[in-house]
Amino acid sequence: MKLYKAYAKVNIFLKITGARGNYHEIISRFMRVDSLYDELSFVSKNRDDAFKIIGEFSCKTEQNTIYKAYIALLDSLDETPAKSLKNLMDKYAVEVKKNIPAFAGLGGGSSDAATFLKMCNEVLDLGLSQNELALIGLKVGADVPFFIYGYDSANVGGIGEVVEEFKEELLDFEIFTPKIEISTPRVYRAYRENFYNPIDGFEVEKLKKTPSLDILKKMSADEANDLFKPALQEYKELKSYYKYGYYFSGSGSSFFRVKERKQ
């Protein structure tokens, strides 16, 4: 069976623009990391009728983003394609070779979910458009639509549902991830309680038009990512891992910088 790559992402910048109920609205530049990806494939299994994921995961199957994507896809399909999807997952397990660290701000779970949706769409010839897949993916997680569209770089807004391609050269990143499991809800809660300071529309428009390399040259780690300070507050051990010139991805715990080009 074909092997599918689920790429990681970094947040070049991540700024809060407001709140929507319990959610925070953001503007962020997501960029795909070509050198880091999980590998997904369908593999034959014993027909035990249970949805099966093969791979190194610390969570139960029901908590896995791939399983959540399966349920979201199933709920969105008419009777005949839904039956085809059930039959597919009766015969095959999803094998995942995990390379993207979990709880790292690199979008591994979201990318796996998006890749699974695209795999099902292709293998079963469901004929779902990217927009339709993105809406299904949004039920799984806010970052999933970006991975559905597969852009090199994009401005992501709202709670993650607004994805606008940003045409620029893909950068090559050096990434390191401390072994700290960060809770995204905890970091956002700390932001709201102690650091809440949304940027205005003028600043949003300016950031959306600025190339990623320019942003990384002009901004420090905490200027580029509104979640860096709250993450440091909640996870004090993070500070010992921070190195000058590196940036913070998502709610962490990964740090990244652009690799220097060899002359």
Side-chain angles (χ1 to χ4, degrees):
M1 275 289 217
K2 184 176 169 182
L3 203 65
Y4 295 80
K5 292 179 179 179
Y7 291 96
K9 61 84 181 161
V10 292
N11 299 84
I12 302 296
F13 64 83
L14 192 162
K15 306 298 283 182
I16 310 297
T17 60
R20 190 194 300 175
N22 293 326
Y23 291 95
H24 290 81
E25 295 195 319
I26 64 163
I27 184 65
S28 183
R29 173 76 46 74
F30 283 31
M31 187 176 272
R32 192 176 75 236
V33 181
D34 256 6
S35 58
L36 181 60
Y37 50 85
D38 292 342
E39 295 171 309
L40 278 70
S41 58
F42 287 123
V43 294
S44 297
K45 69 176 175 82
N46 294 330
R47 197 177 172 117
D48 56 7
D49 292 344
F51 187 93
K52 189 170 184 182
I53 301 169
I54 301 166
E56 290 181 27
F57 292 96
S58 55
C59 63
K60 292 178 181 174
T61 298
E62 292 74 24
Q63 296 168 310
N64 194 294
T65 53
I66 294 170
Y67 180 76
K68 289 177 181 177
Y70 167 64
I71 296 300
L73 181 58
L74 207 54
D75 288 347
S76 71
L77 295 174
D78 292 333
E79 192 177 341
T80 304
K83 194 174 179 184
S84 299
L85 177 59
K86 282 180 182 171
N87 287 340
L88 178 74
M89 300 321 300
D90 282 350
K91 292 177 187 171
Y92 296 96
V94 186
E95 186 168 38
V96 185
K97 186 184 174 190
K98 281 298 288 178
N99 298 307
I100 305 171
F103 307 102
L106 300 173
S110 297
S111 189
D112 288 349
T115 302
F116 173 76
L117 289 173
K118 291 198 274 190
M119 288 164 70
C120 293
N121 194 39
E122 185 180 305
V123 169
L124 296 172
D125 204 15
L126 298 174
L128 294 167
S129 68
Q130 282 190 326
N131 288 343
E132 288 170 320
L133 285 173
L135 283 171
I136 295 164
L138 194 60
K139 293 173 185 173
V140 180
D143 291 353
V144 178
F146 168 75
F147 294 106
I148 293 286
Y149 291 110
Y151 297 137
D152 287 355
S153 178
N155 290 319
V156 177
I159 59 167
E161 79 278 17
V162 182
V163 182
E164 301 168 326
E165 183 176 14
F166 186 79
K167 290 195 179 293
E168 63 178 339
E169 190 181 339
L170 205 57
L171 301 173
D172 196 10
F173 297 105
E174 188 180 310
I175 298 169
F176 77 92
T177 305
K179 289 199 182 305
I180 304 170
E181 287 195 3
I182 286 188
S183 160
T184 299
R186 182 175 161 186
V187 172
Y188 270 105
R189 191 162 55 247
Y191 170 82
R192 186 177 285 210
E193 289 170 2
N194 302 297
F195 300 93
Y196 192 72
N197 186 24
I199 62 169
D200 63 31
F202 294 109
E203 188 65 20
V204 169
E205 289 310 308
K206 191 175 161 189
L207 281 168
K208 282 168 71 173
K209 291 170 185 163
T210 308
S212 292
L213 209 48
D214 290 351
I215 283 167
L216 296 177
K217 282 175 184 171
K218 290 175 190 170
M219 299 175 102
S220 64
D222 63 316
E223 285 170 338
N225 189 337
D226 282 348
L227 300 181
F228 188 31
K229 282 181 178 174
L232 282 173
Q233 177 191 281
E234 297 300 303
Y235 300 88
K236 292 187 171 45
E237 63 272 35
L238 256 182
K239 197 166 187 177
S240 63
Y241 290 99
Y242 172 67
K243 300 174 194 170
Y244 179 77
Y246 279 79
Y247 292 82
F248 194 60
S249 187
S251 57
S253 60
S254 295
F255 293 95
F256 70 92
R257 71 173 179 182
V258 177
K259 276 187 188 173
E260 290 179 12
R261 287 180 179 161
K262 291 174 183 172
Q263 297 297 321

